[in-house]
Amino acid sequence: MTSTTPLRVGMVGYAFMGAAHSHAWRTAPRFFDLPLDPQLTALCGRNDDGVRAAAAKLGWGSVETDWRRLIERDDIDLIDICTPGNTHAEIAIAALEAGKHVLCEKPLANSVAEAERMAEAARAAAERGVFSMCGFSYRRTPALALARRMVAEGRLGQIRHVRAQYLQDWLSDENAPMTWRLDKAMSGSGSLGDIGAHSIDAAQWVTGQNITGVSALLETFVHERPLAGDLVGLGGHGDTGADAPRGMVTVDDAAVFSARFDGGTADGAGSFPGAVGVFEATRFALGRKNAMRLEVNGTLGSIAFDFEDMNVLSFYDAAESPDAGFRRIFVTEPEHPYVGNWWPTGHGLGYEHGFTHQVVDLVTAIGAGTQPSPSFADALQVQRVLEAVEASAMEESRWTKVEGA
Ligand code: SOE
């Protein structure tokens, strides 16, 4: 049974991520035994009519139109930040300094400098028993959590290759309207930080190895888009005709980079040379809707995952006969991570379950007085990889042209 001790949540933002987080706060205590009982106490948004409608729809008890007021409230224990990246640092640091736990959407910030300030505030707050987590929700997909368990158990041996792609296509249409995700001042970067950050975090977490260096290429295919329309989450609606006013896209549409890892292992015993990796993040992969893919090749085996088939983890075991091929593990058995709390074997989970599992792990850690993972320090390391990718992509000199090209 979940404890009756409340954990009163105040959430800032109510678009796509706000809806996913609201669902998670509502469902976690009903399917998992938690040390604290999350309460959807207050929803914050700048537009009074909009936030009231969202609060009614998503199940929040009260509303605020200024996040500073939310942080001042003594009936709020935790601030959940579901806003664009340009607001993360100011809100998170103020909340931590006010003694509120914090869950902050990814990527942590729009720059390493901001992420460093957030990580320092989180470190200081943790000494006072105030904890924080960054919302890399894909870690909580049962199949990826199983992959990490298998690497940690040595089932893949030493890791040689990491292959990570995050492919979407919702911006393929050049007349898809502007969104905050295409404005560097709000989002920090484009596909790189929006979805590439997920791949970086998942690859490092599953392998237990951190990226130490990159060589990168960033591309922007569509440089301006219609401004019209009520933009929500992944796409836009409303008038996008040819004569609609247009805005400049100031971020990458696609990111491609190679990477070298540090050779660690999930159990920290790594001495093997670091793995080599290839990464791709794009919202122009026509036909791919949310293909967050990871393949890891080791000396004893391989795993392969595709979020578009998210209840399956493919596993190749070199100990089996070569013609055994990849085995499809249907990750729905009670002994698989998180799954035992939901449905009988074979019934499968969805995108929203990763957010519920994120709440479960956050509330469990807070209840135990321990640091939730990924911490702001973990997310700072991802931010440093993002910055290295952008730096590498800008140094054209590192790009070796093919003779005659
Ligand atoms: C958009 O590409 C997006 O909503 C990301 O911002 C989320 O983090 C991801 O979970 C789904 O796609």
Side-chain angles (χ1 to χ4, degrees):
M1 276 297 285
T2 284
S3 157
T4 55
T5 306
L7 178 71
R8 299 162 298 181
V9 180
M11 185 169 79
V12 188
Y14 51 85
F16 178 16
M17 286 301 113
H21 284 225
S22 301
H23 177 83
W25 290 116
R26 284 197 310 271
T27 53
R30 287 166 176 74
F31 285 85
F32 292 80
D33 296 336
L34 302 180
L36 298 166
D37 185 17
Q39 309 288 320
L40 283 72
T41 303
L43 180 63
C44 181
R46 286 168 301 184
N47 178 287
D48 190 65
D49 291 339
V51 71
R52 289 186 184 283
K57 178 179 179 183
L58 299 172
W60 291 85
S62 63
V63 299
E64 295 291 347
T65 54
D66 180 347
W67 61 264
R68 295 166 188 82
R69 170 81 189 96
L70 187 69
I71 286 175
E72 288 166 359
R73 284 177 54 164
D74 58 12
D75 64 338
I76 296 290
D77 305 309
L78 182 146
I79 297 292
D80 185 4
I81 304 172
C82 294
T83 51
N86 62 314
T87 62
H88 289 183
E90 186 179 19
I91 298 173
I93 292 170
L96 289 165
E97 289 175 351
K100 314 294 188 184
H101 305 294
V102 173
L103 172 58
C104 182
E105 261 297 324
K106 45 46 67 181
L108 186 65
N110 283 359
S111 71
V112 165
E114 285 179 346
E116 286 172 341
R117 291 193 296 114
M118 295 170 78
E120 174 50 30
R123 185 202 57 74
E127 290 178 354
R128 305 192 310 272
V130 175
F131 294 108
S132 46
M133 176 197 268
C134 186
F136 286 111
S137 57
Y138 284 107
R139 292 180 173 212
R140 271 83 192 190
T141 305
L144 282 178
L146 178 61
R148 173 182 165 89
R149 184 192 293 176
M150 293 173 74
V151 170
E153 290 169 351
R155 304 283 298 278
L156 277 66
Q158 302 292 354
I159 307 304
R160 290 184 168 133
H161 280 285
V162 176
R163 202 162 295 110
Q165 303 167 320
Y166 198 154
L167 312 175
Q168 296 178 338
D169 71 358
W170 57 282
L171 286 172
S172 298
D173 177 354
E174 63 183 19
N175 285 313
M178 278 299 285
T179 163
W180 65 265
R181 283 180 167 87
L182 297 172
D183 174 359
K184 188 173 183 63
M186 294 191 74
S187 63
S189 64
S191 61
L192 175 62
D194 182 25
I195 51 180
H198 279 303
S199 294
I200 293 164
D201 177 68
Q204 296 186 137
W205 182 70
V206 166
T207 62
Q209 300 193 30
N210 278 351
I211 291 171
T212 58
V214 296
S215 177
L217 171 66
L218 298 180
E219 184 60 82
T220 301
F221 301 117
V222 176
H223 293 273
E224 60 174 47
R225 290 180 178 270
L227 285 174
D230 166 27
L231 310 181
V232 176
L234 277 174
H237 308 281
D239 168 29
T240 58
D243 56 357
R246 302 179 79 82
M248 294 307 293
V249 172
T250 53
V251 295
D252 58 283
D253 283 334
V256 177
F257 61 97
S258 55
R260 185 172 292 285
F261 289 74
D262 65 5
T265 61
D267 62 8
S271 59
F272 191 77
V276 295
V278 288
F279 290 76
E280 187 181 4
T282 181
R283 297 165 302 190
F284 286 72
L286 210 52
R288 300 300 181 197
K289 302 307 175 181
N290 199 44
M292 189 272 190
R293 298 170 171 172
L294 181 67
E295 179 163 325
V296 178
N297 308 129
T299 53
L300 299 180
S302 296
I303 58 97
F305 171 78
D306 183 343
F307 191 82
E308 291 188 352
D309 191 12
M310 67 164 283
N311 290 288
V312 171
L313 180 69
S314 297
F315 172 49
Y316 180 85
D317 185 345
E320 295 181 350
S321 61
D323 61 7
F326 272 84
R327 186 190 324 156
R328 274 172 61 87
I329 302 172
F330 201 21
V331 188
T332 62
E333 299 303 315
E335 63 271 16
H336 290 147
Y338 305 107
V339 179
N341 283 67
W342 295 99
W343 321 122
T345 179
H347 288 69
L349 301 183
Y351 174 72
E352 75 279 11
H353 291 87
F355 292 88
T356 299
H357 301 157
Q358 178 169 265
V359 164
V360 169
D361 292 345
L362 173 60
V363 174
T364 301
I366 290 172
T370 57
Q371 174 56 54
S373 174
S375 65
F376 279 13
D378 296 327
L380 167 59
Q381 192 275 339
V382 173
Q383 204 77 38
R384 288 188 169 131
V385 176
L386 297 175
E387 186 168 89
V389 169
E390 291 191 297
S392 171
M394 280 189 288
E395 294 179 32
E396 285 287 340
S397 59
R398 298 215 178 153
W399 186 252
T400 304
K401 295 188 187 307
V402 174
E403 190 173 337

